[in-house]
Amino acid sequence: MSHPILSEFDIVFAGGGATACVVAGRLAACDPSLRILILEAGQHTFNKPIHVQPYQYPFNQIPTSTTVTFNIGNPSPRLNGRAPIVPSGRCVGGGSCVNFMVYTRAPASDYDDWGVNGWESEKLIPLMKKLETYEVQPDLPTHGYNGPIKVSSGGCEMGVSDEFIQVGTTYHKRHYADDTNDLETCNTYSFADFWLMYKRYIDGTTGRRSDAAHHYVYNQAHNPNLQVWDGKRVKRIIFEDKRAVGVEFTSDPVSCPDADQSSSIARALKLVVISGGAFGSPTILERSGIGAEAVLKRCGIQQLVNLPGVGENYRDHNIVFVPYLAADEAVTMDALWRGESILQESLAQWNSSGKSLIAQNGIDSTIKWRPDDEELKVMDPVFQPRWKEFFQDRSDKAVAIFGALAGWVPLSSILPPRNYMTAGYFTLYPVSVGSVHINVTENGKEGMDFTTGFLDDSSDIVPLDFMYKKTREIFRRMASYRGEIAAGHPDFPEESAAACREASGPVDMNAPDIVYTAEDDEAISQFHRDVVQTAWHSLGTCAMKPEEDRGVVDARLNVYGVSNLKVADMSISPLNVGTNTYSTALLIGERAAMIIAEDLGINCVDLTRV
């Protein structure tokens, strides 16, 4: 069957997420004559309030949202039979336009652990600096001050963070550090008093989200050779003798429900880059005949290349949110998220100065946490082998990040209108691994065979169980604490000392910790199996590893077994990274732009200068 060829381009990107925007934007700026096309299933994000106003980030995750795709995993006995749901960005700019805007960076050693030539940390650190304008503190050696992505404190200070740090450094006995994102510092608290300025992907002048779409692509609207076609779902890559020559696509049924669903082809004269993320990239490859024989055969797809690593190695971070009641006088995001009268006042201030709660995400204080000797003693021994094998002698590797959010993120559950604080905690290097593949449903339509792997390894739940107890002790000592919400906590017996209840204020800093029984401990574990979810940090499904080690791309991002086809997004990460992954997605984009320019013989000072 023939399909109309709409046009020819030099480079076609199959997917328009954060990394694609970085690569396409850098290449277009370097050589404006390059004809570049980005095909994105989602819609444009240009100047849309839900994407540029930071406070609106939770609304991208509500069940009716079309700015993310809700990827439904297979039910898991480790999650008490739940089918976990993992959202991924579904708009121009991808995750950079819908994420929580939390600025963290992985330890430099994470990239050295990849063991991939050209991706060593000493070669990547200059790119980390190149991509950012760090508005928080001047003259720090690992930060950049002239890049497209702005990092600032956001719009205003929230007192809940001060309380969290005060208790954390006193009760939890951890030190405080101004910069926990210097690529090595770990196990210290970090927050923003007004002078130190907490770190977010928010422009400190305009108060807008600092995303890849606006700062790499939309700012080049003057270049007619850089085109973004939204509402286009990539079906497969077109090959001639195993050389990628184009992309077949249709109008996306969600973004364009009334559009013609017939297929079209965009030809690529020089290169095709798949940039569909941890879910989109492996499934595009499989629909194109690249993958494991068994997967393709059951879907009736003729195999072009036997590449069994496609869709394997799925990794994520495991996160839990636990709500607490906050004092009426506490400054939180709740009234803003409920659309109360403060919203209009805050919007007016934001429009005039870039300040106010509009330029906030509510997350002002965190710690990259490693257990000390006393904490290790009380943690389940199941965690000990993992600790000794991976963490013990690597002091820059945090087990988890936990922190305080001033408010309750309104994703699904409805709580009575009042002020809340939320403890959020997620593990950074869980052992469990999953997979993402295409399949065919009973009615003959394409579906997804997605296994998250969450908590499959028995050691993964242990830090979560401990962090519930630790964060609870921290929160009940904070000045704004007014008790717990039983519905958002483990189901403790009524007579238990751990039972949740309202309170008139915090306990004394030196008060004894809650004593948990074996029954209470079981309730905590069951709670985590019921509620643990994605941290929206999916990666690894087109791993940059040797082909014999189930790799999918080589060090230059070339897909094994074919030519003129690369993958550039978080799916190439062979191992987990100890960070909120936006920073890594940007970094992969910067490195990919350099690689592609070198491969195409483009001599551009801007791509090599850091």
Side-chain angles (χ1 to χ4, degrees):
M1 179 179 178
S2 62
H3 305 293
I5 298 175
L6 295 184
S7 191
E8 290 186 338
F9 298 84
D10 294 312
I11 305 172
V12 176
F13 287 83
T19 304
C21 287
V22 174
V23 184
R26 285 295 193 192
L27 292 172
C30 176
D31 183 356
S33 70
L34 275 176
R35 293 172 298 168
I36 299 173
L37 173 64
I38 299 173
L39 296 169
E40 167 56 41
Q43 297 181 340
H44 275 293
T45 54
F46 181 66
N47 282 345
K48 291 183 178 179
I50 195 171
H51 299 298
V52 301
Q53 294 176 353
Y55 92 99
Q56 291 212 44
Y57 71 93
F59 305 128
N60 290 290
Q61 305 278 349
I62 62 175
T64 57
S65 172
T66 59
T67 60
V68 300
T69 297
F70 296 99
N71 303 285
I72 302 175
N74 299 321
S76 168
R78 302 293 186 187
L79 304 179
N80 290 336
R82 268 195 307 137
I85 299 174
V86 179
S88 56
R90 192 181 184 283
C91 54
V92 177
S96 75
C97 292
V98 300
N99 64 21
F100 283 38
M101 295 158 290
V102 175
Y103 176 80
T104 60
R105 299 196 296 180
S109 65
D110 277 3
Y111 301 107
D112 296 324
D113 291 346
W114 290 3
V116 180
N117 183 41
W119 293 80
E120 301 87 355
S121 63
E122 65 177 0
K123 296 182 180 178
L124 297 180
I125 290 173
L127 297 179
M128 297 181 201
K129 298 169 66 174
K130 176 184 177 181
L131 66 87
E132 71 178 17
T133 293
Y134 192 71
E135 301 176 352
V136 184
Q137 291 170 275
D139 304 322
L140 296 178
T142 64
H143 291 284
Y145 296 91
N146 196 35
I149 299 298
K150 307 299 190 295
V151 180
S152 77
S153 66
C156 63
E157 182 185 9
M158 307 190 80
V160 166
S161 65
D162 296 347
E163 299 174 21
F164 181 80
I165 297 300
Q166 180 187 7
V167 176
T169 53
T170 305
Y171 161 77
H172 194 198
K173 295 181 174 60
R174 293 298 202 276
H175 296 296
Y176 168 77
D178 291 351
D179 183 18
T180 59
N181 289 297
D182 60 359
L183 311 179
E184 61 181 5
T185 298
C186 186
N187 220 21
T188 58
Y189 281 86
S190 174
F191 84 122
D193 69 21
F194 199 65
W195 305 110
L196 292 174
M197 305 173 73
Y198 185 73
K199 303 90 177 171
R200 301 178 182 86
Y201 286 108
I202 296 175
D203 187 311
T205 302
T206 66
R208 291 164 57 107
R209 175 193 287 272
S210 194
D211 63 86
H214 286 84
H215 295 284
Y216 284 90
V217 173
Y218 289 142
N219 60 344
Q220 298 188 68
H222 56 279
N223 182 356
N225 287 325
L226 175 58
Q227 296 191 27
V228 181
W229 294 356
D230 68 330
K232 306 302 181 187
R233 177 182 180 270
V234 172
K235 293 182 66 176
R236 66 187 179 101
I237 309 303
I238 304 299
F239 291 95
E240 293 178 0
D241 297 325
K242 293 189 177 183
R243 174 187 171 89
V245 297
V247 173
E248 180 184 345
F249 64 94
T250 65
S251 292
D252 183 78
V254 176
S255 297
C256 309
D258 300 323
D260 181 4
Q261 298 296 311
S262 60
S263 293
S264 301
I265 290 175
R267 288 191 66 86
L269 300 182
K270 296 183 177 180
L271 185 67
V272 175
V273 182
I274 299 178
S275 195
F279 297 97
S281 290
T283 52
I284 290 172
L285 284 173
E286 289 178 339
R287 289 196 297 269
S288 306
I290 300 174
E293 181 179 3
V295 172
L296 301 183
K297 186 175 182 179
R298 77 184 181 208
C299 296
I301 297 173
Q302 182 176 355
Q303 188 176 59
L304 179 70
V305 177
N306 181 32
L307 207 56
V310 172
E312 296 297 308
N313 193 52
Y314 174 84
R315 298 170 189 264
D316 199 344
H317 298 144
N318 303 150
I319 199 167
V320 175
F321 295 107
V322 182
Y324 291 85
L325 300 171
D328 292 341
E329 61 271 19
V331 178
T332 73
M333 303 293 289
D334 296 294
L336 207 66
W337 285 336
R338 289 193 295 264
E340 296 179 8
S341 57
I342 189 178
L343 176 58
Q344 293 307 315
E345 176 186 337
S346 299
L347 280 170
Q349 184 181 351
W350 181 77
N351 283 322
S352 64
S353 68
K355 305 300 180 184
S356 85
L357 289 176
I358 299 299
Q360 254 284 3
N361 61 3
I363 307 169
D364 273 9
S365 48
T366 59
I367 177 174
K368 293 180 177 179
W369 169 75
R370 287 170 58 87
D372 59 26
D373 290 343
E374 292 302 312
E375 290 171 333
L376 281 168
K377 288 178 183 177
V378 299
M379 293 173 68
D380 191 314
V382 171
F383 183 67
Q384 292 296 327
R386 175 61 172 165
W387 170 260
K388 292 176 181 177
E389 171 262 331
F390 186 79
F391 294 103
Q392 182 170 274
D393 298 325
R394 312 176 83 187
S395 60
D396 61 336
K397 305 285 194 188
V399 173
I401 292 176
F402 63 80
L405 190 157
W408 173 247
V409 177
L411 297 185
S412 55
S413 61
I414 304 300
L415 296 177
R418 60 163 298 166
N419 285 343
Y420 298 94
M421 309 181 295
T422 301
Y425 46 90
F426 64 92
T427 48
L428 294 170
Y429 305 97
V431 178
S432 303
V433 177
S435 61
V436 175
H437 296 290
I438 58 172
N439 68 2
V440 177
T441 62
E442 292 181 358
N443 59 8
K445 294 185 177 180
E446 181 189 320
M448 184 180 291
D449 179 13
F450 170 36
T451 299
T452 64
F454 293 170
L455 305 186
D456 279 359
D457 189 280
S458 59
S459 69
D460 286 344
I461 199 171
V462 177
L464 297 175
D465 289 349
F466 179 84
M467 281 186 291
Y468 170 81
K469 296 178 180 179
K470 182 60 68 176
T471 55
R472 187 175 180 186
E473 293 297 343
I474 292 173
F475 272 67
R476 63 198 288 262
R477 288 165 171 78
M478 291 166 57
S480 295
Y481 170 84
R482 294 297 182 268
E484 299 98 3
I485 307 158
H489 285 252
D491 186 16
F492 298 117
E494 288 186 12
E495 68 278 6
S496 170
C500 298
R501 52 184 61 87
E502 292 194 27
S504 59
V507 302
D508 185 81
M509 193 72 74
N510 297 316
D513 289 354
I514 296 170
V515 177
Y516 294 89
T517 66
E519 186 177 4
D520 294 333
D521 287 342
E522 178 60 23
I524 294 171
S525 290
Q526 290 304 315
F527 167 73
H528 283 138
R529 295 189 188 282
D530 286 338
V531 304
V532 70
Q533 60 176 303
T534 175
W536 306 279
H537 299 161
S538 302
L539 56 84
T541 50
C542 295
M544 183 169 56
K545 299 193 293 185
E547 184 176 358
E548 59 271 20
D549 191 25
R550 309 197 88 178
V552 178
V553 300
D554 64 17
R556 309 231 11 124
L557 306 179
N558 299 304
V559 176
Y560 292 118
V562 295
S563 63
N564 274 45
L565 181 64
K566 295 181 185 287
V567 178
D569 54 38
M570 285 304 302
S571 73
I572 70 160
S573 180
L575 298 170
N576 229 321
V577 285
T579 181
N580 299 73
T581 49
Y582 180 29
S583 57
T584 304
L586 292 169
L587 176 61
I588 290 172
E590 293 283 2
R591 178 68 183 129
M594 290 184 66
I595 289 172
I596 291 171
E598 291 166 0
D599 286 359
L600 298 183
I602 300 170
N603 184 15
C604 183
V605 174
D606 286 342
L607 284 177
T608 56
R609 183 178 59 210
V610 294

